[in-house]
Amino acid sequence: MKPAIIFTYFVLLITLSCTTKKDLKTESGFRKTPSGILSNLLNGNLDSASGIIKWAATEGDMIEYNGQLMDSQYLFSSIDTVFTIKRNNETEYLAVFSTAPMTKDDMGKMVSASDCHVCGLKIGYFTYTIVNDSLQIQTFRKNFATHGTFGEKSYQVSFVNLGDGYEILKIDDPYNGMGISTVTTKFYMAGELLLSMISREDNAGNYDSTQKGYYEFKTDFTYNPLKHTININQTGFKIDEISGKRIAILKRKELPFDQYSLSF
């Protein structure tokens, strides 16, 4: 790889988020697949069979990524989801990836070192375009959120276009504990948290749907790109613990995006 390319990656890696556009030629050894691009951004080694990238962590990385659980200086990343964004005559790609420390289990197999119930994966992203033989990195952020459980992926990532360049990542993250099943939904733009809310929940682990004290609700989201709003429709019911009566849950809310946050 030529020195100019190495320098470009060095500049990208010394900051969590790179907003300056960089042009990278498809030189020998450079791969235009999302995993190949991430491997180069992290200056790591890609295992083509598993898609996992092994890369050397700094002291700061080890602290940020729960590196105290590691038995080596390396972290492991892999591509989660890639979204295609059409802008006029240009196509941009948004790649979401996850990172975790890994260690060997008793059988010698590499597993996540973060294996507690509340331990998640670190989530990062980068955006890029490919024009002819030129790859242009638009943004790169190694870590903007933590999602998942037992060091594994349990979340779902989706892409929301609110119009006029307001492009948002929606992450739904389920969690079960103390008899309650919950889904937390978070909306991010440019790696910054806009809104966090419980979008689905029930206490079926403690009651069934015919018992007093039982409740359940779910939330449906719709989007209006013309008004730049997210509309929330929450429905469900609860059974009163004293009377045993079934009470309907119905909440509706329109959340306008004001360029900085989603406001209630």
Side-chain angles (χ1 to χ4, degrees):
M1 187 178 291
K2 293 185 176 181
I5 299 174
I6 296 173
F7 176 75
T8 300
Y9 289 133
F10 175 76
V11 173
L12 285 170
L13 288 170
I14 62 174
T15 179
L16 284 178
S17 179
C18 175
T19 56
T20 303
K21 296 181 179 179
K22 300 291 180 183
D23 287 311
L24 305 174
K25 294 295 182 182
T26 312
E27 304 284 356
S28 175
F30 187 85
R31 293 156 289 190
K32 289 192 290 186
T33 64
S35 293
I37 296 168
L38 180 59
S39 177
N40 280 273
L41 288 172
L42 295 173
N43 195 26
N45 296 316
L46 172 63
D47 181 338
S48 57
S50 66
I52 295 176
I53 300 159
K54 178 181 178 181
W55 54 281
T58 65
E59 263 188 54
D61 288 330
M62 292 178 70
I63 295 172
E64 186 175 2
Y65 291 85
N66 297 321
Q68 68 272 14
L69 301 174
M70 298 162 55
D71 57 7
S72 72
Q73 69 187 70
Y74 297 101
L75 287 165
F76 299 82
S77 299
S78 60
I79 295 292
D80 185 313
T81 311
V82 180
F83 300 100
T84 301
I85 306 168
K86 298 290 186 179
R87 291 201 188 93
N88 299 321
N89 296 323
E90 186 177 74
T91 299
E92 183 174 286
Y93 302 94
L94 190 161
V96 180
F97 64 95
S98 59
T99 301
M102 300 189 80
T103 187
K104 290 183 179 180
D105 64 12
D106 295 338
M107 304 298 292
K109 179 182 177 182
M110 293 298 291
V111 296
S112 175
S114 303
D115 60 356
C116 66
H117 196 181
V118 297
C119 293
L121 301 172
K122 300 295 184 181
I123 311 298
Y125 78 95
F126 59 96
T127 60
Y128 63 96
T129 58
I130 298 176
V131 180
N132 297 324
D133 202 32
S134 180
L135 172 70
Q136 188 176 77
I137 303 296
Q138 308 285 350
T139 55
F140 173 49
R141 190 159 180 173
K142 285 197 293 184
N143 173 30
F144 71 89
T146 303
H147 287 278
T149 185
F150 289 111
E152 301 291 340
K153 177 184 175 180
S154 58
Y155 54 86
Q156 291 186 335
V157 184
S158 54
F159 177 79
V160 178
N161 188 347
L162 281 189
D164 294 334
Y166 298 153
E167 293 154 353
I168 294 172
L169 283 176
K170 173 176 174 279
I171 302 182
D172 296 301
D173 204 346
Y175 184 83
N176 298 302
M178 303 298 289
I180 297 175
S181 297
T182 299
V183 175
T184 300
T185 296
K186 294 186 178 183
F187 293 91
Y188 299 90
M189 192 175 92
E192 299 299 325
L193 180 63
L194 299 179
L195 173 69
S196 176
M197 63 176 289
I198 296 176
S199 60
R200 185 185 296 265
E201 188 171 277
D202 68 63
N203 61 343
N206 296 319
Y207 301 88
D208 64 40
S209 59
T210 62
Q211 288 182 287
K212 295 180 180 180
Y214 178 80
Y215 70 89
E216 66 177 50
F217 65 86
K218 66 176 183 177
T219 308
D220 295 316
F221 298 93
T222 57
Y223 311 100
N224 188 327
L226 296 178
K227 295 174 64 178
H228 313 311
T229 59
I230 295 177
N231 297 288
I232 294 173
N233 185 38
Q234 196 169 89
T235 57
F237 68 92
K238 62 182 179 179
I239 298 179
D240 186 79
E241 292 190 44
I242 298 176
S243 67
K245 291 183 178 179
R246 183 173 171 133
I247 303 169
I249 298 172
L250 178 59
K251 297 179 181 180
R252 292 191 177 97
K253 192 73 177 179
E254 181 180 75
L255 306 181
F257 181 66
D258 62 7
Q259 299 185 16
Y260 298 101
S261 65
L262 288 163
S263 57
F264 286 94

